[in-house]
């Protein structure tokens, strides 16, 4: 893919060199100034057109509404059965004993 771009660049560069080689230095300067002016006009047109379009209604993008995420309620520890609380305490006690050893 890169080689293709390099070939295109080289062929365009070669054609421009051939065109410029045929021009005298007196004609070369106005040609360069004219091309630079056309480039600048094109750039300014695109910049000011984009600034102009910012506030227009018909150009505004649609806003996507995302519904809020429903977060489930966490079960408080005091609603757990005593057996479950005891199992959890035993598990954490075993885990803490392994760390202390």
């Amino acid at each position: 893919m890169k080689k293709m771009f390099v070939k295109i660049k080289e062929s365009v560069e070669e054609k421009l060199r051939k065109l410029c080689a045929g021009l005298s230095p007196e004609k070369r300067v106005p040609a360069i100034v004219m091309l630079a002016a056309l480039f600048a006009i094109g750039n300014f047109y695109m910049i000011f057109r984009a600034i102009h379009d910012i506030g227009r209604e018909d150009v505004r993008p649609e806003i996507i509404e995302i519904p809020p995420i429903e977060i489930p309620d966490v079960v408080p520890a005091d609603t757990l059965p005593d057996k479950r609380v005891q199992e959890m305490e035993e598990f954490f006690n075993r885990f803490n004993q392994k760390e202390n050893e």
Side-chain angles (χ1 to χ4, degrees), residues 5 21 39 41 46 48 50 54 63 71 77:
F5 289 122
F39 180 74
I41 290 169
M46 288 192 296
F48 292 123
I54 286 174
I63 298 173
I71 301 172

Side-chain angles (χ1 to χ4, degrees), residues 1 4 7 16 19 57 59 69 73 75 78 85 95-96 98:
M1 189 73 154
M4 183 176 73
K7 287 181 182 179
L16 284 173
L19 284 173
E57 289 289 329
V59 181
I69 299 173
D73 293 332
V75 179
D78 60 347
V85 172
F95 182 73
N96 288 335
K98 288 180 184 178

Side-chain angles (χ1 to χ4, degrees), residues 34-96:
M34 183 185 68
L35 289 174
L38 287 174
F39 180 74
I41 290 169
N43 279 335
F44 286 130
Y45 172 77
M46 288 192 296
I47 289 169
F48 292 123
R49 182 64 188 207
I51 292 170
H52 176 265
D53 288 344
I54 286 174
R56 292 183 39 197
E57 289 289 329
D58 58 338
V59 181
R60 287 192 178 165
E62 291 183 24
I63 298 173
I64 300 171
E65 291 187 27
I66 301 172
I69 299 173
E70 293 182 21
I71 301 172
D73 293 332
V74 178
V75 179
D78 60 347
T79 60
L80 292 174
D82 291 336
K83 184 179 179 185
R84 176 64 74 178
V85 172
Q86 186 179 4
E87 289 174 359
M88 292 171 65
E89 286 176 357
E90 288 174 3
F91 172 78
F92 286 115
N93 288 337
R94 275 188 267 141
F95 182 73
N96 288 335

